[in-house]
């Protein structure tokens, strides 16, 4: 079984993330979606909420597991017995950060490989940060996130009109 880790913050999960997961499943037999527990970061959704949003959006696909991790990604990968990390790459602006992260992870554990998938052309402009901003400011997030995330955002930011 070829399994990859798909790590991230997922605050919240977007159609961009889901697209990478679906496309990743064409290459891997299974994916472990790994949600970072990072107490230092100002998050909109708690880690538990993000896990539940991911599970809700993914449905009952037995090929995908959603887990949380804290500390180093490479340590979590070792614990899971997985040596491939899957990441989506949207634009040139993502490249430097991703390049550094992939190389740092390989330096920490030379057995870990990072595989990048180009985000689909419909999703390359979507980021969780922009989704949070748009929702906070009362903009339309349909088409950016799955319906369960849309509902959760509507609860966080009730419309005043
Ligand atoms: O969705 P994000 O915020 O771009 O995901 C970033 C993530 C979670 C993949 C990255 O921050 C991470 O792996 N953090 C764990 C800490 C770590 O391993 N750091 C060293 C490598 S840079």
């Amino acid at each position: 079984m070829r399994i990859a880790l798909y790590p991230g913050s997922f605050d919240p999960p977007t159609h961009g993330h889901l697209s990478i997961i679906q496309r990743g499943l064409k290459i891997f037999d299974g994916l472990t979606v790994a949600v970072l527990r990072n107490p230092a970061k100002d998050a909109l959704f708690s880690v538990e909420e993000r896990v539940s949003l991911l599970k809700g959006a993914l449905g009952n696909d037995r090929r995908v597991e959603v887990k949380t991790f804290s500390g180093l990604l490479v340590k979590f990968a070792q614990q899971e017995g997985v040596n491939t990390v899957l990441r989506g790459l949207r634009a040139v602006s993502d490249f430097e950060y991703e390049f550094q992260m992939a190389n740092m992870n390989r330096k920490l554990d030379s057995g870990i490989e990072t595989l990048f998938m180009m985000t689909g052309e419909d999703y390359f402009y979507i980021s969780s940060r922009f989704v949070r901003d748009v929702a906070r400011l009362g903009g339309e997030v349909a088409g950016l996130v799955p319906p369960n995330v849309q509902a959760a955002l509507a609860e966080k930011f009730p419309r005043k009109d």
Side-chain angles (χ1 to χ4, degrees):
M1 286 274 279
R2 280 215 149 269
I3 308 285
L5 269 191
Y6 180 47
S9 303
F10 305 104
D11 185 33
T14 67
H15 275 318
H17 295 129
L18 297 175
S19 159
I20 295 290
I21 291 171
Q22 294 312 329
R23 290 168 54 217
L25 286 170
K26 294 182 185 164
I27 299 171
F28 296 98
D29 301 311
L31 291 178
T32 301
V33 179
V35 182
L36 177 66
R37 286 189 178 274
N38 184 353
K41 217 168 164 181
D42 278 353
L44 174 60
F45 291 100
S46 70
V47 171
E48 286 66 32
E49 285 173 319
R50 284 180 260 161
V51 167
S52 141
L53 289 172
L54 278 162
K55 286 186 174 167
L58 290 163
N60 278 337
D61 194 331
R62 297 169 68 115
R63 296 170 300 169
V64 188
E65 274 196 280
V66 183
K67 295 188 177 178
T68 65
F69 77 105
S70 48
L72 287 176
L73 178 65
V74 294
K75 287 249 168 77
F76 182 64
Q78 288 158 3
Q79 274 167 31
E80 292 287 307
V82 174
N83 62 13
T84 310
V85 172
L86 178 65
R87 292 283 290 173
L89 201 56
R90 282 170 306 200
V92 182
S93 49
D94 279 346
F95 180 80
E96 193 165 337
Y97 171 64
E98 294 295 338
F99 180 73
Q100 285 181 359
M101 194 159 65
N103 281 290
M104 180 59 80
N105 284 336
R106 201 169 45 220
K107 176 80 183 155
L108 292 169
D109 180 343
S110 59
I112 303 273
E113 288 295 344
T114 305
L115 194 87
F116 293 101
M117 290 188 89
M118 293 293 168
T119 302
E121 63 278 11
D122 293 338
Y123 305 122
F124 71 92
Y125 62 93
I126 302 178
S127 68
S128 295
R129 184 161 63 90
F130 281 159
V131 165
R132 291 196 301 270
D133 283 351
V134 170
R136 183 179 289 120
L137 298 170
E140 186 55 78
V141 293
L144 307 178
V145 296
N148 67 326
V149 174
Q150 208 183 320
L153 285 166
E155 259 183 48
K156 292 269 180 201
F157 304 114
R159 295 231 172 173
K160 293 180 185 87
D161 48 42

